[in-house]
Amino acid sequence: MTAPTRTGRGTGTGLKDPSLRRSLALFRAFLHEQDDPEGCYSLLARDAADQVEAYDGPVKGRVVVDIGGGGGYFTDEFRRRGAHGYLFEPDVRELGDRPPGGAVVADGYLLPLADGVADVCFSSNVLEHVADPQTFLSEMVRVTRPGGLIYVSFTNWLSPWGGHEWAPWHYFGAERARARYRRRTGRPAKHTLGENLFAVHIGPTLRQVRARDDVTVVSARSRYWPFLAQAVAKAPVLREFATWNLLLILRRCP
């Protein structure tokens, strides 16, 4: 299947990962997420594809399954690099006006895919939006071939961005933060704790993943931290605040 690609964006960011320059570029893009989603998510997609290729080589000719990829920026980028990219998104509203051709509305808990069909299974900032992260991860593992790569990133609850649009006020309580957001913007917040946003923590997630016998952990690091990206994720307690966003690179066991 093919899709219309978004124009005006080159392949790759040309930014060293990790580096202060890269982190600042991503942060500036995030500041304009609302008024320039195209620029924000196109840059993030190129950055994520760079990371996948850094760990697993070029994606050209390979099957990449994007779970929860919303409007398809990640799928578009993988396809632009020659991959067979497939998007599975549970919420039709998140697909937007220009989803990639062949996008499938499907639940990440039960993907309409056979075992081991994906060379790369990809999920960007979805885990904190599912009530049962371990079942979600198990489904990602199931559809990945032995030796295949699994890319999972999520914003942990105690990160300064853990409350999403009502961060960092989530430190003072979710309901208080939501009420403040409504007073300030005049509209209800998109996310509600316990409904479409969940308090996922780094320590328990790492323990659960490392206890599995069907994957090995290639890397557990901060996705955006400009230096010592792996070291910060190793420090108990500190990592829950300083990691910002945990990136897990997993390899499916034979």
Side-chain angles (χ1 to χ4, degrees):
M1 61 179 72
T2 59
T5 57
R6 304 170 202 275
T7 60
R9 306 289 175 183
T11 297
T13 63
L15 300 172
K16 181 182 177 182
D17 174 22
S19 68
L20 182 60
R21 181 167 170 257
R22 168 183 170 269
S23 295
L24 288 174
L26 290 170
F27 183 67
R28 284 194 295 266
F30 292 148
L31 291 178
H32 294 283
E33 177 188 6
Q34 296 301 312
D35 57 271
D36 183 20
E38 176 86 12
C40 175
Y41 288 108
S42 292
L43 176 62
L44 186 60
R46 298 199 307 277
D47 184 76
D50 284 351
Q51 289 180 320
V52 169
E53 293 192 327
Y55 283 103
D56 209 41
V59 296
K60 184 177 182 179
R62 304 168 76 187
V63 174
V64 180
V65 172
D66 177 9
I67 304 173
Y73 289 95
F74 299 106
T75 299
D76 275 349
E77 182 59 33
F78 287 124
R79 290 180 180 179
R80 188 177 291 112
R81 298 184 187 211
H84 305 289
Y86 302 95
L87 172 62
F88 296 86
E89 168 58 50
D91 189 345
V92 67
R93 295 169 297 182
E94 293 292 332
L95 290 172
D97 298 328
R98 293 187 297 158
V104 177
V105 178
D107 195 320
Y109 291 139
L110 190 63
L111 295 168
L113 291 170
D115 295 355
V117 297
D119 295 300
V120 177
C121 198
F122 178 90
S123 173
S124 173
N125 297 339
V126 177
L127 203 65
E128 71 267 31
H129 299 294
V130 299
D132 187 351
Q134 292 309 303
T135 296
F136 183 87
L137 286 171
S138 291
E139 188 67 350
M140 292 187 71
V141 174
R142 181 188 70 79
V143 303
T144 305
R145 67 166 175 81
L149 190 82
I150 300 162
Y151 177 113
V152 182
S153 80
F154 67 92
T155 304
N156 53 297
W157 176 244
L158 292 177
S159 159
W161 323 112
H164 286 52
E165 73 271 25
W166 25 275
W169 303 97
H170 63 295
Y171 287 135
F172 300 97
E175 288 308 311
R176 181 177 296 179
R178 279 174 50 82
R180 181 187 181 278
Y181 179 87
R182 181 156 196 162
R183 288 195 305 271
R184 186 171 60 86
T185 66
R187 61 179 183 272
K190 177 180 178 180
H191 297 99
T192 301
L193 188 65
E195 293 183 11
N196 58 359
L197 180 64
F198 299 88
V200 182
H201 302 286
I202 292 175
T205 300
L206 289 177
R207 287 192 291 272
Q208 290 164 352
V209 169
R210 287 169 176 158
R212 301 182 66 110
D213 60 6
D214 51 5
V215 295
T216 57
V217 179
V218 176
S219 181
R221 51 159 289 189
S222 170
R223 184 176 181 180
Y224 307 127
W225 194 251
F227 48 83
L228 300 176
Q230 294 200 61
V232 71
K234 293 179 180 178
V237 183
L238 175 64
R239 63 189 173 196
E240 301 295 342
F241 299 91
T243 301
W244 295 354
N245 183 290
L246 183 70
L247 172 60
L248 286 173
I249 302 293
L250 311 175
R251 184 76 66 185
R252 173 75 190 270
C253 294

mmCIF file of all heavy atoms in Angstrom, residues 9 15 21-47 224:
data_model
loop_
_atom_site.group_PDB
_atom_site.id
_atom_site.type_symbol
_atom_site.label_atom_id
_atom_site.label_comp_id
_atom_site.label_asym_id
_atom_site.label_seq_id
_atom_site.Cartn_x
_atom_site.Cartn_y
_atom_site.Cartn_z
ATOM 1 N N ARG A 9 9.731 18.128 3.375
ATOM 2 C CA ARG A 9 10.523 17.646 4.504
ATOM 3 C C ARG A 9 11.557 16.656 3.991
ATOM 4 O O ARG A 9 11.217 15.673 3.335
ATOM 5 C CB ARG A 9 9.623 16.952 5.535
ATOM 6 C CG ARG A 9 8.449 17.815 6.001
ATOM 7 C CD ARG A 9 8.898 18.972 6.875
ATOM 8 N NE ARG A 9 7.770 19.838 7.194
ATOM 9 C CZ ARG A 9 7.889 20.944 7.891
ATOM 10 N NH1 ARG A 9 9.046 21.344 8.328
ATOM 11 N NH2 ARG A 9 6.822 21.688 8.150
ATOM 12 N N LEU A 15 20.856 15.738 12.948
ATOM 13 C CA LEU A 15 21.204 16.130 14.311
ATOM 14 C C LEU A 15 21.771 14.941 15.075
ATOM 15 O O LEU A 15 21.212 13.840 15.023
ATOM 16 C CB LEU A 15 19.973 16.673 15.041
ATOM 17 C CG LEU A 15 19.319 17.907 14.425
ATOM 18 C CD1 LEU A 15 17.997 18.207 15.130
ATOM 19 C CD2 LEU A 15 20.250 19.105 14.506
ATOM 20 N N ARG A 21 21.959 20.467 20.737
ATOM 21 C CA ARG A 21 21.350 21.067 19.537
ATOM 22 C C ARG A 21 20.071 20.319 19.149
ATOM 23 O O ARG A 21 19.064 20.935 18.806
ATOM 24 C CB ARG A 21 22.362 21.048 18.400
ATOM 25 C CG ARG A 21 21.871 21.674 17.101
ATOM 26 C CD ARG A 21 23.031 21.907 16.154
ATOM 27 N NE ARG A 21 22.562 22.276 14.831
ATOM 28 C CZ ARG A 21 22.530 21.459 13.793
ATOM 29 N NH1 ARG A 21 22.962 20.200 13.930
ATOM 30 N NH2 ARG A 21 22.093 21.857 12.626
ATOM 31 N N ARG A 22 20.128 18.994 19.166
ATOM 32 C CA ARG A 22 18.945 18.193 18.837
ATOM 33 C C ARG A 22 17.829 18.434 19.839
ATOM 34 O O ARG A 22 16.663 18.630 19.471
ATOM 35 C CB ARG A 22 19.309 16.713 18.812
ATOM 36 C CG ARG A 22 18.102 15.765 18.769
ATOM 37 C CD ARG A 22 18.558 14.312 18.826
ATOM 38 N NE ARG A 22 17.437 13.415 19.018
ATOM 39 C CZ ARG A 22 16.990 13.010 20.202
ATOM 40 N NH1 ARG A 22 17.572 13.459 21.322
ATOM 41 N NH2 ARG A 22 15.967 12.200 20.287
ATOM 42 N N SER A 23 18.147 18.406 21.134
ATOM 43 C CA SER A 23 17.126 18.600 22.161
ATOM 44 C C SER A 23 16.460 19.963 22.032
ATOM 45 O O SER A 23 15.242 20.087 22.168
ATOM 46 C CB SER A 23 17.733 18.437 23.560
ATOM 47 O OG SER A 23 18.181 17.109 23.751
ATOM 48 N N LEU A 24 17.252 20.998 21.751
ATOM 49 C CA LEU A 24 16.688 22.338 21.589
ATOM 50 C C LEU A 24 15.793 22.410 20.348
ATOM 51 O O LEU A 24 14.731 23.046 20.379
ATOM 52 C CB LEU A 24 17.807 23.371 21.493
ATOM 53 C CG LEU A 24 18.558 23.666 22.791
ATOM 54 C CD1 LEU A 24 19.736 24.596 22.532
ATOM 55 C CD2 LEU A 24 17.624 24.273 23.836
ATOM 56 N N ALA A 25 16.201 21.755 19.275
ATOM 57 C CA ALA A 25 15.384 21.757 18.056
ATOM 58 C C ALA A 25 14.039 21.084 18.303
ATOM 59 O O ALA A 25 12.982 21.583 17.879
ATOM 60 C CB ALA A 25 16.127 21.059 16.925
ATOM 61 N N LEU A 26 14.049 19.950 19.014
ATOM 62 C CA LEU A 26 12.804 19.251 19.314
ATOM 63 C C LEU A 26 11.942 20.073 20.271
ATOM 64 O O LEU A 26 10.715 20.149 20.110
ATOM 65 C CB LEU A 26 13.101 17.877 19.911
ATOM 66 C CG LEU A 26 13.693 16.851 18.940
ATOM 67 C CD1 LEU A 26 14.169 15.617 19.693
ATOM 68 C CD2 LEU A 26 12.669 16.455 17.883
ATOM 69 N N PHE A 27 12.588 20.694 21.270
ATOM 70 C CA PHE A 27 11.826 21.492 22.233
ATOM 71 C C PHE A 27 11.156 22.681 21.550
ATOM 72 O O PHE A 27 9.989 22.993 21.806
ATOM 73 C CB PHE A 27 12.760 21.972 23.347
ATOM 74 C CG PHE A 27 12.051 22.742 24.426
ATOM 75 C CD1 PHE A 27 11.127 22.123 25.256
ATOM 76 C CD2 PHE A 27 12.300 24.099 24.612
ATOM 77 C CE1 PHE A 27 10.468 22.834 26.248
ATOM 78 C CE2 PHE A 27 11.643 24.817 25.604
ATOM 79 C CZ PHE A 27 10.727 24.173 26.424
ATOM 80 N N ARG A 28 11.874 23.354 20.663
ATOM 81 C CA ARG A 28 11.284 24.477 19.933
ATOM 82 C C ARG A 28 10.100 24.000 19.085
ATOM 83 O O ARG A 28 9.078 24.689 18.988
ATOM 84 C CB ARG A 28 12.332 25.151 19.055
ATOM 85 C CG ARG A 28 13.311 26.024 19.816
ATOM 86 C CD ARG A 28 14.091 26.921 18.880
ATOM 87 N NE ARG A 28 14.943 26.148 17.980
ATOM 88 C CZ ARG A 28 16.224 25.878 18.227
ATOM 89 N NH1 ARG A 28 16.787 26.313 19.344
ATOM 90 N NH2 ARG A 28 16.934 25.182 17.361
ATOM 91 N N ALA A 29 10.235 22.823 18.494
ATOM 92 C CA ALA A 29 9.138 22.278 17.692
ATOM 93 C C ALA A 29 7.926 21.971 18.576
ATOM 94 O O ALA A 29 6.780 22.255 18.196
ATOM 95 C CB ALA A 29 9.596 21.015 16.961
ATOM 96 N N PHE A 30 8.174 21.419 19.775
ATOM 97 C CA PHE A 30 7.072 21.101 20.680
ATOM 98 C C PHE A 30 6.322 22.364 21.117
ATOM 99 O O PHE A 30 5.112 22.335 21.320
ATOM 100 C CB PHE A 30 7.588 20.363 21.921
ATOM 101 C CG PHE A 30 8.098 18.983 21.646
ATOM 102 C CD1 PHE A 30 9.138 18.449 22.397
ATOM 103 C CD2 PHE A 30 7.555 18.208 20.642
ATOM 104 C CE1 PHE A 30 9.620 17.179 22.147
ATOM 105 C CE2 PHE A 30 8.029 16.925 20.378
ATOM 106 C CZ PHE A 30 9.064 16.413 21.135
ATOM 107 N N LEU A 31 7.057 23.469 21.263
ATOM 108 C CA LEU A 31 6.409 24.718 21.661
ATOM 109 C C LEU A 31 5.400 25.191 20.616
ATOM 110 O O LEU A 31 4.480 25.950 20.937
ATOM 111 C CB LEU A 31 7.463 25.805 21.888
ATOM 112 C CG LEU A 31 8.383 25.631 23.104
ATOM 113 C CD1 LEU A 31 9.399 26.766 23.158
ATOM 114 C CD2 LEU A 31 7.581 25.567 24.402
ATOM 115 N N HIS A 32 5.574 24.732 19.379
ATOM 116 C CA HIS A 32 4.684 25.157 18.286
ATOM 117 C C HIS A 32 3.773 24.020 17.829
ATOM 118 O O HIS A 32 3.261 24.057 16.705
ATOM 119 C CB HIS A 32 5.518 25.682 17.119
ATOM 120 C CG HIS A 32 6.270 26.943 17.440
ATOM 121 N ND1 HIS A 32 5.654 28.182 17.480
ATOM 122 C CD2 HIS A 32 7.572 27.150 17.769
ATOM 123 C CE1 HIS A 32 6.550 29.105 17.800
ATOM 124 N NE2 HIS A 32 7.716 28.503 17.987
ATOM 125 N N GLU A 33 3.593 23.035 18.704
ATOM 126 C CA GLU A 33 2.755 21.883 18.332
ATOM 127 C C GLU A 33 1.350 22.305 17.918
ATOM 128 O O GLU A 33 0.792 21.787 16.943
ATOM 129 C CB GLU A 33 2.668 20.900 19.506
ATOM 130 C CG GLU A 33 1.764 19.705 19.224
ATOM 131 C CD GLU A 33 1.536 18.853 20.454
ATOM 132 O OE1 GLU A 33 1.979 19.250 21.553
ATOM 133 O OE2 GLU A 33 0.888 17.800 20.322
ATOM 134 N N GLN A 34 0.769 23.261 18.630
ATOM 135 C CA GLN A 34 -0.606 23.662 18.349
ATOM 136 C C GLN A 34 -0.724 24.494 17.074
ATOM 137 O O GLN A 34 -1.657 24.300 16.293
ATOM 138 C CB GLN A 34 -1.180 24.449 19.543
ATOM 139 C CG GLN A 34 -1.296 23.639 20.820
ATOM 140 C CD GLN A 34 -2.176 22.418 20.666
ATOM 141 O OE1 GLN A 34 -3.281 22.509 20.127
ATOM 142 N NE2 GLN A 34 -1.707 21.280 21.137
ATOM 143 N N ASP A 35 0.217 25.420 16.839
ATOM 144 C CA ASP A 35 0.096 26.285 15.666
ATOM 145 C C ASP A 35 0.829 25.751 14.445
ATOM 146 O O ASP A 35 0.567 26.189 13.323
ATOM 147 C CB ASP A 35 0.595 27.708 15.988
ATOM 148 C CG ASP A 35 2.036 27.707 16.486
ATOM 149 O OD1 ASP A 35 2.234 27.586 17.705
ATOM 150 O OD2 ASP A 35 2.947 27.818 15.661
ATOM 151 N N ASP A 36 1.729 24.764 14.635
ATOM 152 C CA ASP A 36 2.427 24.171 13.497
ATOM 153 C C ASP A 36 2.619 22.670 13.725
ATOM 154 O O ASP A 36 3.745 22.178 13.858
ATOM 155 C CB ASP A 36 3.784 24.848 13.287
ATOM 156 C CG ASP A 36 4.528 24.313 12.055
ATOM 157 O OD1 ASP A 36 3.876 23.716 11.173
ATOM 158 O OD2 ASP A 36 5.760 24.498 11.999
ATOM 159 N N PRO A 37 1.517 21.919 13.770
ATOM 160 C CA PRO A 37 1.657 20.475 13.992
ATOM 161 C C PRO A 37 2.447 19.783 12.895
ATOM 162 O O PRO A 37 3.163 18.809 13.155
ATOM 163 C CB PRO A 37 0.207 19.976 14.042
ATOM 164 C CG PRO A 37 -0.589 21.025 13.336
ATOM 165 C CD PRO A 37 0.104 22.318 13.626
ATOM 166 N N GLU A 38 2.340 20.285 11.669
ATOM 167 C CA GLU A 38 3.096 19.702 10.554
ATOM 168 C C GLU A 38 4.591 19.761 10.824
ATOM 169 O O GLU A 38 5.313 18.765 10.699
ATOM 170 C CB GLU A 38 2.762 20.454 9.266
ATOM 171 C CG GLU A 38 3.547 20.001 8.045
ATOM 172 C CD GLU A 38 2.916 18.829 7.332
ATOM 173 O OE1 GLU A 38 1.758 18.505 7.629
ATOM 174 O OE2 GLU A 38 3.600 18.233 6.485
ATOM 175 N N GLY A 39 5.080 20.936 11.221
ATOM 176 C CA GLY A 39 6.503 21.080 11.498
ATOM 177 C C GLY A 39 6.941 20.260 12.692
ATOM 178 O O GLY A 39 7.995 19.613 12.672
ATOM 179 N N CYS A 40 6.126 20.269 13.743
ATOM 180 C CA CYS A 40 6.464 19.556 14.972
ATOM 181 C C CYS A 40 6.565 18.052 14.733
ATOM 182 O O CYS A 40 7.590 17.424 15.021
ATOM 183 C CB CYS A 40 5.422 19.861 16.049
ATOM 184 S SG CYS A 40 5.646 18.921 17.577
ATOM 185 N N TYR A 41 5.519 17.475 14.185
ATOM 186 C CA TYR A 41 5.474 16.022 14.075
ATOM 187 C C TYR A 41 6.301 15.487 12.919
ATOM 188 O O TYR A 41 6.763 14.340 12.960
ATOM 189 C CB TYR A 41 4.026 15.546 14.007
ATOM 190 C CG TYR A 41 3.341 15.690 15.344
ATOM 191 C CD1 TYR A 41 2.379 16.665 15.561
ATOM 192 C CD2 TYR A 41 3.699 14.871 16.411
ATOM 193 C CE1 TYR A 41 1.774 16.815 16.803
ATOM 194 C CE2 TYR A 41 3.108 15.015 17.653
ATOM 195 C CZ TYR A 41 2.147 15.986 17.843
ATOM 196 O OH TYR A 41 1.563 16.141 19.083
ATOM 197 N N SER A 42 6.524 16.295 11.890
ATOM 198 C CA SER A 42 7.422 15.860 10.823
ATOM 199 C C SER A 42 8.851 15.749 11.346
ATOM 200 O O SER A 42 9.572 14.791 11.031
ATOM 201 C CB SER A 42 7.358 16.828 9.645
ATOM 202 O OG SER A 42 6.102 16.770 9.001
ATOM 203 N N LEU A 43 9.266 16.732 12.156
ATOM 204 C CA LEU A 43 10.601 16.666 12.747
ATOM 205 C C LEU A 43 10.710 15.476 13.698
ATOM 206 O O LEU A 43 11.694 14.724 13.672
ATOM 207 C CB LEU A 43 10.919 17.960 13.496
ATOM 208 C CG LEU A 43 12.262 17.981 14.249
ATOM 209 C CD1 LEU A 43 13.431 17.813 13.286
ATOM 210 C CD2 LEU A 43 12.408 19.268 15.055
ATOM 211 N N LEU A 44 9.697 15.271 14.536
ATOM 212 C CA LEU A 44 9.724 14.161 15.478
ATOM 213 C C LEU A 44 9.768 12.827 14.736
ATOM 214 O O LEU A 44 10.471 11.895 15.158
ATOM 215 C CB LEU A 44 8.497 14.218 16.392
ATOM 216 C CG LEU A 44 8.464 13.188 17.532
ATOM 217 C CD1 LEU A 44 9.650 13.362 18.463
ATOM 218 C CD2 LEU A 44 7.159 13.298 18.313
ATOM 219 N N ALA A 45 9.032 12.723 13.623
ATOM 220 C CA ALA A 45 9.029 11.487 12.845
ATOM 221 C C ALA A 45 10.398 11.211 12.242
ATOM 222 O O ALA A 45 10.881 10.072 12.257
ATOM 223 C CB ALA A 45 7.967 11.571 11.752
ATOM 224 N N ARG A 46 11.038 12.242 11.711
ATOM 225 C CA ARG A 46 12.374 12.051 11.146
ATOM 226 C C ARG A 46 13.367 11.645 12.228
ATOM 227 O O ARG A 46 14.229 10.789 12.015
ATOM 228 C CB ARG A 46 12.845 13.327 10.428
ATOM 229 C CG ARG A 46 11.970 13.709 9.257
ATOM 230 C CD ARG A 46 12.654 14.665 8.286
ATOM 231 N NE ARG A 46 13.209 15.849 8.899
ATOM 232 C CZ ARG A 46 12.513 16.956 9.186
ATOM 233 N NH1 ARG A 46 11.206 17.008 8.943
ATOM 234 N NH2 ARG A 46 13.097 18.009 9.720
ATOM 235 N N ASP A 47 13.231 12.262 13.388
ATOM 236 C CA ASP A 47 14.115 11.938 14.499
ATOM 237 C C ASP A 47 13.915 10.493 14.952
ATOM 238 O O ASP A 47 14.884 9.763 15.185
ATOM 239 C CB ASP A 47 13.856 12.904 15.660
ATOM 240 C CG ASP A 47 14.810 12.693 16.815
ATOM 241 O OD1 ASP A 47 15.984 13.114 16.703
ATOM 242 O OD2 ASP A 47 14.389 12.094 17.827
ATOM 243 N N TYR A 224 14.780 12.279 24.815
ATOM 244 C CA TYR A 224 15.083 13.661 24.449
ATOM 245 C C TYR A 224 16.236 14.276 25.219
ATOM 246 O O TYR A 224 16.696 15.356 24.869
ATOM 247 C CB TYR A 224 13.843 14.545 24.673
ATOM 248 C CG TYR A 224 12.591 14.048 24.006
ATOM 249 C CD1 TYR A 224 11.415 13.866 24.734
ATOM 250 C CD2 TYR A 224 12.564 13.775 22.642
ATOM 251 C CE1 TYR A 224 10.255 13.421 24.120
ATOM 252 C CE2 TYR A 224 11.411 13.327 22.023
ATOM 253 C CZ TYR A 224 10.257 13.149 22.779
ATOM 254 O OH TYR A 224 9.111 12.698 22.164
#
